[in-house]
Amino acid sequence: MIVLVDPQMGENIGAAARAMLNFGLTGLRLVRPRDGWPNPKAGAMAAGASSVVDNARVFDSVEDATADCGYILATTARQRELYLPVYEPGEAMAEIKPRIDDGQTCAILFGGEKSGLNTNDISLCHGILTVPLNPAFSSLNLGQAVLLAAWEWSKLAGKGERFPSRMDDAEVPTQADTDGLINHLFAELEPSGFFFPPEKREVMERNIRTTIKRAGFTRADTQLMRGIIKALARGRGAGRAASEE
Amino acid sequence: MIVLVDPQMGENIGAAARAMLNFGLTGLRLVRPRDGWPNPKAGAMAAGASSVVDNARVFDSVEDATADCGYILATTARQRELYLPVYEPGEAMAEIKPRIDDGQTCAILFGGEKSGLNTNDISLCHGILTVPLNPAFSSLNLGQAVLLAAWEWSKLAGKGERFPSRMDDAEVPTQADTDGLINHLFAELEPSGFFFPPEKREVMERNIRTTIKRAGFTRADTQLMRGIIKALARGRGAGRAASEE
């Protein structure tokens, strides 16, 4: 669950909701949203994710918002004087995942745009989440921070769906397919004078063989290549090509 | 290097530049930016990352923009008819990293806001990068897609810097520190009648011992706990406390 503490702009609440829903997260809690709640700007920005905004619960304090939580992480970009473990997003999700699987309610807190979480709020948490950034330019906004957390959560929770590679359907060539291609090529190169001088032939053949083996052709690719070789050889002269057909 | 193909809004080019620089990426190329170049809106949005925008190179075609590249991935959210391997962001960076280390120039292509990359542009690439999203809500914008790619790159390239946990400085308690705390507690519990009935004492002591061992106290924590025990015990009666001091 994502808890936004003292969020200021409704647009940023909406952006956080979109980032969440992109990766299958829906539980949003707000502590003291500056411009009140509901906030039409949040709904407008959330667009397709407005269900997340509509179902957001509002609280007066971090204590209330996290009262049912068994594990809470605070997101911050600054070193604090607190003795708490510090996790990068992926590490944080590795802490959270087994607890969720165990039935615990877990929360990640994000502070407001202006100054982030205060140290008192962080002291209510079990650990700190931080995103390692370029020290010369570290300006992640609220929506981006939520996006990275949601993305890392989705990776671990296996929530996202991706389309498969067409390569997954592709038939792998047998050794006979590949050797057929290689021998076809050698046979067509023979009359072209390519294998010169003759004593280099063995090395040249070996180089061609490894190049083709390494290429990761599909079975259809080997057939395509044989068609190409045939066409190129035919190009040497219409007379010869005609006699071959 | 990040290549934005047919980007439309300058603001999104600026947001991409910010996302890049947050994770230490600076090489930006643009193919046919709709509103021309330079675009003041890109610079304004980029703010502290305007150096990335200022140094962006503009090309008329994907071919020109990637002519010096040894390895190119195309970002797309849709299945294509192309037989290319498909990588999630982390997998994509695992393909790119050794090639960069080997001195190759590598590019990741992102299409424009409206329709993404066309299939011809993707066919110029060595593979496809896709972000697994919630199938019921998949609406990653250009800046967010670049952010996730840059983040995954940074993780592998070790570009980001994070602050250390204060826990890293904390002294670990010795067995003597922890046993001192436990025995101190037992000694103070003894006169309070806590260990009752007497036959349960062994189990009760064992439970307390494992609870404390499990707590992950620092050395300072064990001292803090002893101070707390002392204060609680003193609270039983000023007379007894005074005689102990």
Side-chain angles (χ1 to χ4, degrees):
Chain A
M1 179 217 314
I2 300 295
V3 182
L4 306 183
V5 182
D6 295 314
Q8 302 190 320
M9 296 177 61
E11 290 86 342
N12 288 338
I13 299 172
R18 288 176 70 92
M20 289 170 60
L21 195 58
N22 264 316
F23 297 110
L25 290 176
T26 55
L28 177 62
R29 296 184 182 181
L30 307 172
V31 176
R32 299 178 297 260
R34 185 191 63 184
D35 300 338
W37 199 256
N39 181 339
K41 286 183 181 167
M45 182 67 170
S50 57
S51 64
V52 175
V53 167
D54 294 342
N55 293 318
R57 294 172 58 194
V58 180
F59 297 85
D60 289 330
S61 68
V62 171
E63 286 89 336
D64 290 345
T66 59
D68 60 344
C69 294
Y71 187 74
I72 313 165
L73 294 181
T75 306
T76 177
R78 295 200 309 278
Q79 169 94 21
R80 308 292 180 137
E81 65 264 41
L82 300 165
Y83 283 84
L84 284 172
V86 176
Y87 304 111
E88 301 182 9
E91 296 168 343
M93 300 312 150
E95 292 291 322
I96 286 176
K97 178 71 168 43
R99 292 176 165 92
I100 299 258
D101 291 345
D102 194 42
Q104 290 181 37
T105 300
C106 297
I108 304 177
L109 268 54
F110 294 83
E113 294 89 331
K114 198 172 166 191
S115 48
L117 294 169
N118 67 46
T119 304
N120 267 348
D121 289 338
I122 299 176
S123 76
L124 301 172
C125 298
H126 298 85
I128 288 173
L129 188 162
T130 196
V131 179
L133 293 168
N134 176 2
F137 183 75
S138 50
S139 72
L140 218 54
N141 68 32
L142 181 58
Q144 290 175 316
V146 171
L147 182 80
L148 291 183
W151 157 241
E152 291 288 349
W153 164 253
S154 160
K155 279 204 288 186
L156 219 61
K159 288 254 185 172
E161 284 187 22
R162 75 176 220 194
F163 56 83
S165 171
R166 295 282 318 257
M167 296 293 289
D168 298 344
D169 317 325
E171 216 178 330
V172 171
T174 62
Q175 186 79 340
D177 293 324
T178 309
D179 285 347
L181 165 62
I182 291 167
N183 292 331
H184 183 170
L185 178 60
F186 289 169
E188 291 293 356
L189 285 174
E190 181 66 48
S192 75
F194 179 85
F195 294 116
F196 184 85
E199 62 271 25
K200 288 271 176 77
R201 181 187 184 119
E202 198 182 323
V203 172
M204 292 168 91
E205 282 194 358
R206 200 186 302 138
N207 288 346
I208 291 170
R209 191 175 295 278
T210 56
T211 298
I212 289 175
K213 294 272 182 178
R214 210 174 50 214
F217 287 146
T218 65
R219 188 165 200 213
D221 290 335
T222 63
Q223 288 152 358
L224 175 68
M225 289 297 144
R226 293 189 70 161
I228 288 170
I229 292 164
K230 202 167 167 182
L232 289 173
R234 188 196 300 136
R236 283 201 299 264
R240 178 149 182 269
S243 72
E244 280 175 351
E245 299 293 324
Chain B
M1 179 216 316
I2 301 294
V3 182
L4 305 183
V5 182
D6 294 315
Q8 302 190 319
M9 294 177 61
E11 291 85 343
N12 289 336
I13 299 172
R18 288 175 69 91
M20 289 170 60
L21 194 57
N22 264 315
F23 297 109
L25 289 176
T26 55
L28 177 62
R29 295 182 182 182
L30 306 171
V31 176
R32 299 177 297 258
R34 184 190 64 184
D35 299 338
W37 199 256
N39 180 340
K41 286 182 181 169
M45 182 68 170
S50 57
S51 64
V52 175
V53 166
D54 294 343
N55 292 319
R57 294 171 59 192
V58 180
F59 297 86
D60 289 330
S61 69
V62 171
E63 287 89 335
D64 289 346
T66 58
D68 59 345
C69 294
Y71 188 74
I72 312 165
L73 293 181
T75 307
T76 177
R78 296 199 310 277
Q79 169 94 15
R80 309 293 182 134
E81 65 264 42
L82 300 166
Y83 283 83
L84 285 172
V86 176
Y87 304 110
E88 300 181 11
E91 296 169 343
M93 299 313 150
E95 291 291 323
I96 286 176
K97 178 71 167 48
R99 292 177 166 91
I100 299 258
D101 291 345
D102 193 43
Q104 290 181 37
T105 300
C106 296
I108 303 177
L109 266 55
F110 294 83
E113 293 90 332
K114 198 171 167 191
S115 49
L117 293 169
N118 67 46
T119 303
N120 266 348
D121 288 338
I122 299 176
S123 77
L124 301 172
C125 297
H126 298 85
I128 288 174
L129 187 161
T130 196
V131 179
L133 292 168
N134 176 2
F137 183 75
S138 51
S139 74
L140 216 55
N141 69 31
L142 181 57
Q144 290 174 316
V146 171
L147 183 78
L148 292 184
W151 158 240
E152 290 289 349
W153 164 251
S154 159
K155 280 205 286 187
L156 219 62
K159 288 253 186 172
E161 285 186 22
R162 75 177 219 194
F163 56 83
S165 170
R166 295 283 314 257
M167 297 292 289
D168 297 345
D169 317 325
E171 218 178 327
V172 172
T174 62
Q175 186 79 341
D177 293 322
T178 309
D179 285 346
L181 164 63
I182 292 167
N183 292 331
H184 183 171
L185 178 60
F186 289 170
E188 291 293 354
L189 285 175
E190 182 66 48
S192 74
F194 180 85
F195 292 118
F196 184 86
E199 62 271 26
K200 288 271 178 76
R201 181 190 182 115
E202 198 181 325
V203 172
M204 293 168 88
E205 283 194 356
R206 199 186 301 138
N207 288 347
I208 292 171
R209 192 176 294 278
T210 55
T211 299
I212 289 174
K213 294 272 181 178
R214 212 173 50 215
F217 287 147
T218 63
R219 187 163 201 214
D221 290 335
T222 64
Q223 288 153 359
L224 174 68
M225 289 296 144
R226 293 190 71 162
I228 289 171
I229 292 164
K230 201 167 170 183
L232 289 173
R234 188 194 302 136
R236 282 201 301 263
R240 177 150 184 269
S243 73
E244 282 178 351
E245 298 293 324

